[in-house]
Amino acid sequence: MKPICIIPARGGSKGVPKKNIRKIGGNPLIAYTIKSALKSKIFSHVFVCTEGPDIARISKNFGAEVPFLRPKEYAQDSSTDLDVVKHFYSVEGSQ
């Protein structure tokens, strides 16, 4: 059984607004993470966990799965990756 990859990608960065969809070298920043995870062949699934519809759309275009948008409460400055992963498993595991 292969592990899954969960890429947390929040849209509300204060330091660099919309950093995950900003283009660098012709591709959105999130694309590089997705491409690397897919290319590794390590994971059975590559998921992006985001509250942003733009990030979700772009992530899907680059081959990631985005089964749902995460609630705003898990997309705050104070939200931890652990909070995001726990929420992801609670929702994805119930589907």
Side-chain angles (χ1 to χ4, degrees), residues 24-95:
I24 297 175
N27 287 312
L29 182 61
I30 189 78
Y32 294 98
T33 305
I34 295 166
K35 286 179 177 183
S36 292
L38 291 169
K39 185 178 177 182
S40 75
K41 306 280 188 210
I42 295 170
F43 306 106
S44 62
H45 298 276
V46 174
F47 294 103
V48 170
C49 185
T50 185
E51 85 290 1
D54 289 342
I55 296 172
R57 180 181 45 77
I58 289 167
S59 296
K60 288 177 185 177
N61 287 343
F62 281 93
E65 298 175 56
V66 186
F68 57 86
L69 294 179
R70 73 172 128 140
K72 298 284 184 195
E73 67 190 84
Y74 294 108
Q76 304 300 314
D77 287 341
S78 59
S79 302
T80 66
D81 287 343
L82 182 58
D83 293 334
V84 171
V85 170
K86 283 181 177 179
H87 175 262
F88 181 87
Y89 274 109
S90 73
V91 173
E92 188 61 20
S94 67
Q95 293 183 4

